[in-house]
Amino acid sequence: MTIEHPGEINALVYTLFSAPGLEREDAANLVRTILRGEYFPRGPAAYSRAIEQALAQPDPVTAALEPPYDEDRVRRFLRLIHEELEKVKPW
């Protein structure tokens, strides 16, 4: 996977092990957590950029952690997170 900071994607994918779901509201809740700086110390810009990079490349974003969801569902959820981050700009 060609991402400048794969740790940010791994941090987001790791949350899927305990995520209540992969719906827009779940993405919005995760974005609120990112904005508060809880568990995600790099700030919203770093996670937004990492999502952009991950979605732009063909390599699996789930390869390092293998969450309980398939690649397609994880990519859809990352898109939702990115959309929710864009809604709350400026950070």
Side-chain angles (χ1 to χ4, degrees):
M1 179 164 36
T2 309
I3 298 175
E4 289 177 36
H5 303 286
E8 283 84 353
I9 284 297
N10 287 342
L12 294 170
V13 171
Y14 184 76
T15 66
L16 301 181
F17 286 96
S18 61
L22 300 182
E23 304 303 322
R24 182 166 299 276
E25 184 58 33
D26 302 307
N29 287 335
L30 185 55
V31 165
R32 284 190 284 276
T33 300
I34 291 169
L35 293 173
R36 287 192 304 264
E38 294 177 24
Y39 314 111
F40 299 95
R42 303 264 187 230
Y47 296 98
S48 179
R49 180 71 182 133
I51 291 170
E52 288 172 356
Q53 291 174 353
L55 295 177
Q57 50 85 38
D59 298 333
V61 297
T62 58
L65 296 173
E66 299 181 13
Y69 301 99
D70 65 31
E71 179 73 15
D72 187 52
R73 289 194 69 199
V74 172
R75 284 178 173 271
R76 282 194 307 248
F77 189 63
L78 289 174
R79 278 188 208 90
L80 290 175
I81 294 169
H82 192 263
E83 290 170 9
E84 292 299 316
L85 282 168
E86 290 296 306
K87 285 181 185 179
V88 296
K89 274 185 170 178
W91 301 308

